[in-house]
Every structure is written in C-alpha cells, then in structure tokens.
Amino acid sequence: MSVNRPKSVAGILIPDSTIASQATELLLEHGTEFIYNHSLRVFLFSSLNAKRNNLEHDSELLYVASVFHDLGLVPHYSSPDLRFEVDGANAARDFLKSHGIAKDKLQLVWDTIALHTTIGIAEHKENEVALMYSGVGLDVMGEGYETLSAANREEIISYFPRNDFKKKIIPTFFGGFEHKTETTFGNIKADVCSYMIPNFHRKNFCDCILHSPWSE
C-alpha cells in the first residue's frame, strides 16, 4: 500500500507516539488505501474543527479513534452479528487496553467510534466524540464544508486524496456489512442497503410494535 505519512498537514500535527504509530500500522496492515486516506482526512477535519472552535481534546485518542473508526468494515475486525461501528470500537478498546490505557479513556474512544454515525446524539457527547462525528460528516457528506478554507482543503487532499470517494464509499460501506444487513436496522446504514440491494426490505419499528407477542 502506497500512502503518505507526513508529520503535519494544514497546521495540524499528526500524532506519532508509540500508540499512534502502532495504530497506524494496524490500519495499513488490515485496511485499504481508500480507508487510510479517509481516516486521516477525518482526523485532520476533526482537529481543524477543534482549533476553529477552541475545543480542548486529547489529540492522540482522537487520532486512534479516527484510525479505527472504519476498521469494523474490514474482514479482520468484522464480526458476524454486530454493527460495524461496534466492531471498530471493540478493536480500538482492545488495542488501547493492551497499552494499559485508563478505563475512562477506553470508554471515551469506544464511544467516539461506536457513535460516529449516530445523528442527533454524538454531537452532544464529549469533545472527542463530537469532533470525530463532525470530521466524518465533513468528509462523507460535506457538512461544514464552508468552514474549511480552500488552502487547508487542497493541502489535505494533496496528501490524502479522495480518489473518486463519492462513488466508492457506498460500496465500501456495504462490503463491510452485506453479510449482516440486519445490523442496519434503526441506523443510517439501512440507506446503504436500500441503495445497493434491489427491493431491499427494511425492518420497520412500527411493524415490530404491532407484531410483538403481546396480546394487546
């Protein structure tokens, strides 16, 4: 895999501690170049949002969360029956636990990854959770695009190119949970299944209520 590994981009230092470096190696070993570039952009966008809004945060933990946030999509970390966000969160927690990281920080990183697609909740959590949610939203859907300067945008893309991102990201998502589409019930990834599977039948919450075993 041929990727760029700069020390800083757009005025943001990219963590290079032992933990950060080992996390990067896991991403390079088990991920793809496409996911690597996306993950690094997410970290940089999140960090720029923190800088713009003067939000205190743990840069190393935010970086590790960014590195692991989509690793639940790849075969090495994908479970047969959990949401891919939970798979990534579990993998990051196990990794950090092996480094003796405190329990509260383990939970923070777990939440940051597990909630990164949860609209309406993540943005109200701790700074790290809200920041990565904002970075993912910016890269995937362009949320907050107007707050990103052209200079920063061009520099980030030069190091971590999008490479036809709009066309590739939906199949990349789907490839991570096509064997467990039931995990998309109640979350936005059901939209991916609907897009990728002809006549996909979504599980419906109201049907679950009306067809429950209760007699009334």
Short mmCIF file of all heavy atoms in Angstrom, two decimals, residues 85-121:
data_model
loop_
_atom_site.label_atom_id
_atom_site.label_comp_id
_atom_site.label_asym_id
_atom_site.label_seq_id
_atom_site.Cartn_x
_atom_site.Cartn_y
_atom_site.Cartn_z
N GLU A 85 -19.68 -0.31 13.44
CA GLU A 85 -19.17 0.71 14.35
C GLU A 85 -18.75 0.09 15.68
O GLU A 85 -17.74 0.49 16.27
CB GLU A 85 -20.23 1.78 14.60
CG GLU A 85 -20.70 2.53 13.36
CD GLU A 85 -21.97 1.95 12.77
OE1 GLU A 85 -22.21 0.73 12.92
OE2 GLU A 85 -22.74 2.71 12.15
N VAL A 86 -19.51 -0.88 16.14
CA VAL A 86 -19.19 -1.57 17.40
C VAL A 86 -17.95 -2.45 17.23
O VAL A 86 -17.10 -2.52 18.12
CB VAL A 86 -20.39 -2.41 17.88
CG1 VAL A 86 -20.02 -3.26 19.08
CG2 VAL A 86 -21.56 -1.48 18.24
N ASP A 87 -17.82 -3.11 16.08
CA ASP A 87 -16.62 -3.90 15.81
C ASP A 87 -15.37 -3.03 15.87
O ASP A 87 -14.36 -3.40 16.47
CB ASP A 87 -16.71 -4.57 14.44
CG ASP A 87 -17.68 -5.73 14.41
OD1 ASP A 87 -17.93 -6.33 15.47
OD2 ASP A 87 -18.19 -6.05 13.32
N GLY A 88 -15.44 -1.86 15.25
CA GLY A 88 -14.29 -0.95 15.28
C GLY A 88 -14.00 -0.45 16.67
O GLY A 88 -12.85 -0.34 17.09
N ALA A 89 -15.07 -0.14 17.41
CA ALA A 89 -14.92 0.35 18.78
C ALA A 89 -14.31 -0.72 19.68
O ALA A 89 -13.42 -0.44 20.50
CB ALA A 89 -16.27 0.79 19.33
N ASN A 90 -14.76 -1.95 19.52
CA ASN A 90 -14.20 -3.06 20.31
C ASN A 90 -12.73 -3.28 19.99
O ASN A 90 -11.92 -3.53 20.89
CB ASN A 90 -14.99 -4.34 20.04
CG ASN A 90 -16.37 -4.34 20.67
OD1 ASN A 90 -16.66 -3.52 21.53
ND2 ASN A 90 -17.23 -5.24 20.22
N ALA A 91 -12.38 -3.19 18.72
CA ALA A 91 -10.99 -3.39 18.31
C ALA A 91 -10.09 -2.31 18.91
O ALA A 91 -8.99 -2.60 19.41
CB ALA A 91 -10.89 -3.39 16.79
N ALA A 92 -10.55 -1.07 18.87
CA ALA A 92 -9.76 0.04 19.43
C ALA A 92 -9.61 -0.11 20.94
O ALA A 92 -8.53 0.13 21.49
CB ALA A 92 -10.42 1.37 19.09
N ARG A 93 -10.69 -0.51 21.60
CA ARG A 93 -10.63 -0.69 23.06
C ARG A 93 -9.64 -1.79 23.42
O ARG A 93 -8.83 -1.62 24.35
CB ARG A 93 -12.02 -1.02 23.60
CG ARG A 93 -12.05 -1.21 25.12
CD ARG A 93 -13.48 -1.33 25.62
NE ARG A 93 -14.17 -2.45 25.00
CZ ARG A 93 -15.49 -2.64 25.09
NH1 ARG A 93 -16.24 -1.79 25.74
NH2 ARG A 93 -16.05 -3.68 24.50
N ASP A 94 -9.68 -2.90 22.71
CA ASP A 94 -8.74 -3.99 22.98
C ASP A 94 -7.30 -3.54 22.75
O ASP A 94 -6.40 -3.87 23.52
CB ASP A 94 -9.06 -5.20 22.10
CG ASP A 94 -10.35 -5.90 22.50
OD1 ASP A 94 -10.85 -5.65 23.62
OD2 ASP A 94 -10.86 -6.67 21.67
N PHE A 95 -7.10 -2.79 21.68
CA PHE A 95 -5.76 -2.28 21.36
C PHE A 95 -5.25 -1.37 22.47
O PHE A 95 -4.12 -1.53 22.96
CB PHE A 95 -5.80 -1.54 20.03
CG PHE A 95 -4.57 -0.71 19.74
CD1 PHE A 95 -3.37 -1.31 19.39
CD2 PHE A 95 -4.62 0.67 19.84
CE1 PHE A 95 -2.24 -0.55 19.15
CE2 PHE A 95 -3.50 1.45 19.58
CZ PHE A 95 -2.31 0.84 19.23
N LEU A 96 -6.06 -0.42 22.89
CA LEU A 96 -5.63 0.53 23.92
C LEU A 96 -5.48 -0.15 25.28
O LEU A 96 -4.60 0.20 26.06
CB LEU A 96 -6.62 1.69 24.00
CG LEU A 96 -6.62 2.64 22.81
CD1 LEU A 96 -7.77 3.64 22.92
CD2 LEU A 96 -5.29 3.37 22.69
N LYS A 97 -6.34 -1.12 25.55
CA LYS A 97 -6.24 -1.86 26.82
C LYS A 97 -4.89 -2.57 26.91
O LYS A 97 -4.30 -2.65 27.98
CB LYS A 97 -7.38 -2.87 26.92
CG LYS A 97 -7.49 -3.54 28.28
CD LYS A 97 -8.60 -4.58 28.32
CE LYS A 97 -9.97 -3.92 28.15
NZ LYS A 97 -11.07 -4.92 28.29
N SER A 98 -4.39 -3.05 25.78
CA SER A 98 -3.09 -3.74 25.77
C SER A 98 -1.94 -2.79 26.09
O SER A 98 -0.84 -3.24 26.42
CB SER A 98 -2.85 -4.40 24.41
OG SER A 98 -2.56 -3.44 23.40
N HIS A 99 -2.22 -1.49 26.00
CA HIS A 99 -1.20 -0.47 26.33
C HIS A 99 -1.43 0.11 27.72
O HIS A 99 -0.77 1.09 28.10
CB HIS A 99 -1.22 0.65 25.29
CG HIS A 99 -0.61 0.27 23.98
ND1 HIS A 99 0.75 0.34 23.74
CD2 HIS A 99 -1.15 -0.23 22.84
CE1 HIS A 99 1.02 -0.06 22.52
NE2 HIS A 99 -0.13 -0.41 21.94
N GLY A 100 -2.36 -0.46 28.47
CA GLY A 100 -2.58 -0.01 29.85
C GLY A 100 -3.29 1.32 29.96
O GLY A 100 -3.16 2.01 30.98
N ILE A 101 -4.07 1.69 28.95
CA ILE A 101 -4.79 2.97 28.98
C ILE A 101 -5.92 2.90 30.01
O ILE A 101 -6.59 1.88 30.16
CB ILE A 101 -5.35 3.29 27.58
CG1 ILE A 101 -4.21 3.41 26.57
CG2 ILE A 101 -6.17 4.57 27.60
CD1 ILE A 101 -3.19 4.47 26.89
N ALA A 102 -6.14 4.01 30.70
CA ALA A 102 -7.14 4.07 31.77
C ALA A 102 -8.54 3.78 31.24
O ALA A 102 -8.87 4.06 30.09
CB ALA A 102 -7.12 5.45 32.41
N LYS A 103 -9.38 3.23 32.14
CA LYS A 103 -10.72 2.78 31.77
C LYS A 103 -11.57 3.90 31.19
O LYS A 103 -12.33 3.69 30.24
CB LYS A 103 -11.41 2.17 32.99
CG LYS A 103 -12.73 1.49 32.68
CD LYS A 103 -13.29 0.81 33.92
CE LYS A 103 -14.61 0.11 33.60
NZ LYS A 103 -15.16 -0.58 34.80
N ASP A 104 -11.47 5.11 31.76
CA ASP A 104 -12.30 6.20 31.26
C ASP A 104 -11.91 6.59 29.84
O ASP A 104 -12.77 6.96 29.02
CB ASP A 104 -12.23 7.42 32.20
CG ASP A 104 -10.82 7.97 32.34
OD1 ASP A 104 -9.84 7.21 32.24
OD2 ASP A 104 -10.70 9.19 32.58
N LYS A 105 -10.63 6.48 29.51
CA LYS A 105 -10.19 6.79 28.16
C LYS A 105 -10.59 5.69 27.18
O LYS A 105 -10.90 5.97 26.02
CB LYS A 105 -8.67 7.02 28.13
CG LYS A 105 -8.24 8.28 28.87
CD LYS A 105 -6.75 8.53 28.75
CE LYS A 105 -6.36 9.84 29.43
NZ LYS A 105 -4.90 10.10 29.31
N LEU A 106 -10.58 4.45 27.67
CA LEU A 106 -11.05 3.35 26.83
C LEU A 106 -12.51 3.58 26.44
O LEU A 106 -12.89 3.38 25.29
CB LEU A 106 -10.93 2.01 27.58
CG LEU A 106 -9.54 1.52 27.95
CD1 LEU A 106 -9.65 0.20 28.70
CD2 LEU A 106 -8.67 1.34 26.70
N GLN A 107 -13.31 3.99 27.42
CA GLN A 107 -14.72 4.23 27.16
C GLN A 107 -14.92 5.41 26.22
O GLN A 107 -15.80 5.39 25.35
CB GLN A 107 -15.47 4.49 28.47
CG GLN A 107 -16.99 4.56 28.31
CD GLN A 107 -17.58 3.25 27.81
OE1 GLN A 107 -17.36 2.21 28.42
NE2 GLN A 107 -18.32 3.31 26.71
N LEU A 108 -14.09 6.45 26.38
CA LEU A 108 -14.20 7.62 25.52
C LEU A 108 -13.93 7.24 24.06
O LEU A 108 -14.68 7.66 23.17
CB LEU A 108 -13.21 8.69 25.98
CG LEU A 108 -13.16 9.97 25.15
CD1 LEU A 108 -14.52 10.66 25.12
CD2 LEU A 108 -12.09 10.92 25.69
N VAL A 109 -12.89 6.47 23.82
CA VAL A 109 -12.57 6.06 22.45
C VAL A 109 -13.65 5.13 21.91
O VAL A 109 -14.05 5.24 20.75
CB VAL A 109 -11.18 5.40 22.38
CG1 VAL A 109 -10.94 4.76 21.02
CG2 VAL A 109 -10.10 6.43 22.67
N TRP A 110 -14.15 4.24 22.77
CA TRP A 110 -15.22 3.33 22.34
C TRP A 110 -16.43 4.14 21.89
O TRP A 110 -17.00 3.90 20.82
CB TRP A 110 -15.60 2.38 23.48
CG TRP A 110 -16.42 1.21 23.02
CD1 TRP A 110 -15.96 -0.03 22.68
CD2 TRP A 110 -17.85 1.18 22.85
NE1 TRP A 110 -17.01 -0.84 22.28
CE2 TRP A 110 -18.18 -0.13 22.39
CE3 TRP A 110 -18.87 2.10 23.04
CZ2 TRP A 110 -19.50 -0.51 22.11
CZ3 TRP A 110 -20.18 1.72 22.75
CH2 TRP A 110 -20.48 0.43 22.31
N ASP A 111 -16.83 5.10 22.69
CA ASP A 111 -17.98 5.94 22.34
C ASP A 111 -17.72 6.74 21.07
O ASP A 111 -18.62 6.91 20.22
CB ASP A 111 -18.31 6.90 23.48
CG ASP A 111 -18.96 6.22 24.67
OD1 ASP A 111 -19.30 5.03 24.58
OD2 ASP A 111 -19.12 6.89 25.71
N THR A 112 -16.52 7.26 20.93
CA THR A 112 -16.18 8.07 19.76
C THR A 112 -16.38 7.29 18.47
O THR A 112 -16.92 7.81 17.48
CB THR A 112 -14.72 8.57 19.85
OG1 THR A 112 -14.56 9.35 21.05
CG2 THR A 112 -14.35 9.42 18.66
N ILE A 113 -15.97 6.03 18.49
CA ILE A 113 -16.10 5.19 17.29
C ILE A 113 -17.52 4.66 17.15
O ILE A 113 -18.12 4.74 16.07
CB ILE A 113 -15.09 4.03 17.33
CG1 ILE A 113 -13.66 4.57 17.35
CG2 ILE A 113 -15.30 3.10 16.14
CD1 ILE A 113 -12.60 3.53 17.61
N ALA A 114 -18.07 4.12 18.22
CA ALA A 114 -19.39 3.48 18.15
C ALA A 114 -20.49 4.46 17.75
O ALA A 114 -21.46 4.07 17.10
CB ALA A 114 -19.74 2.83 19.48
N LEU A 115 -20.32 5.73 18.09
CA LEU A 115 -21.36 6.73 17.83
C LEU A 115 -21.10 7.61 16.62
O LEU A 115 -21.85 8.55 16.37
CB LEU A 115 -21.54 7.61 19.07
CG LEU A 115 -22.06 6.91 20.33
CD1 LEU A 115 -22.03 7.87 21.52
CD2 LEU A 115 -23.46 6.37 20.12
N HIS A 116 -20.07 7.29 15.84
CA HIS A 116 -19.67 8.24 14.80
C HIS A 116 -20.68 8.37 13.65
O HIS A 116 -20.59 9.31 12.86
CB HIS A 116 -18.28 7.92 14.26
CG HIS A 116 -18.20 6.83 13.24
ND1 HIS A 116 -17.94 5.51 13.57
CD2 HIS A 116 -18.34 6.85 11.90
CE1 HIS A 116 -17.90 4.78 12.47
NE2 HIS A 116 -18.15 5.56 11.44
N THR A 117 -21.66 7.47 13.58
CA THR A 117 -22.72 7.61 12.57
C THR A 117 -24.08 7.90 13.22
O THR A 117 -25.10 7.88 12.52
CB THR A 117 -22.84 6.33 11.72
OG1 THR A 117 -23.25 5.24 12.56
CG2 THR A 117 -21.54 5.99 11.03
N THR A 118 -24.08 8.17 14.52
CA THR A 118 -25.34 8.32 15.23
C THR A 118 -25.76 9.79 15.28
O THR A 118 -25.36 10.55 16.17
CB THR A 118 -25.23 7.75 16.66
OG1 THR A 118 -24.78 6.39 16.57
CG2 THR A 118 -26.57 7.78 17.36
N ILE A 119 -26.58 10.15 14.32
CA ILE A 119 -27.04 11.54 14.18
C ILE A 119 -27.94 11.91 15.36
O ILE A 119 -28.77 11.14 15.80
CB ILE A 119 -27.82 11.69 12.87
CG1 ILE A 119 -26.89 11.44 11.68
CG2 ILE A 119 -28.46 13.07 12.76
CD1 ILE A 119 -27.62 11.32 10.35
N GLY A 120 -27.71 13.11 15.89
CA GLY A 120 -28.55 13.63 16.95
C GLY A 120 -28.08 13.32 18.36
O GLY A 120 -28.65 13.81 19.33
N ILE A 121 -27.05 12.48 18.49
CA ILE A 121 -26.52 12.13 19.81
C ILE A 121 -25.04 12.44 19.91
O ILE A 121 -24.59 13.10 20.84
CB ILE A 121 -26.79 10.64 20.14
CG1 ILE A 121 -28.28 10.40 20.30
CG2 ILE A 121 -26.04 10.24 21.42
CD1 ILE A 121 -28.65 8.96 20.60
#
